[in-house]
Amino acid sequence: MYSKATIAGHPVHPTMLVGFPVACYTGTLVGFAVYAATGHQFRLNPAIALNVVGVGSALLAALPGFVD
């Protein structure tokens, strides 16, 4: 795969950065589902934090994506 954004000849965008938002959004979904099932506020705070990290890492992954 040819990519303009590379580190040591390896593409940056698909291999390194895309997994983080996917994992954070999955954790957000699980956290919200547990909160909806139990109603405990303790599970809501990490879900919100994961959502914020997921959006931030998605924006970070978008930069090399636009370069490509």
Side-chain angles (χ1 to χ4, degrees):
M1 167 185 253
Y2 176 75
S3 176
K4 292 180 183 177
T6 60
I7 295 177
H10 299 286
V12 173
H13 176 67
T15 56
M16 288 188 250
L17 298 177
V18 175
F20 292 109
V22 171
C24 289
Y25 290 146
T26 303
T28 299
L29 179 66
V30 170
F32 283 155
V34 170
Y35 171 71
T38 63
H40 292 270
Q41 183 74 21
F42 177 73
R43 300 291 180 208
L44 182 63
N45 293 335
I48 292 171
L50 276 173
N51 196 15
V52 170
V53 171
V55 169
S57 61
L59 291 173
L60 181 67
L63 296 175
F66 287 134
V67 171
D68 284 343

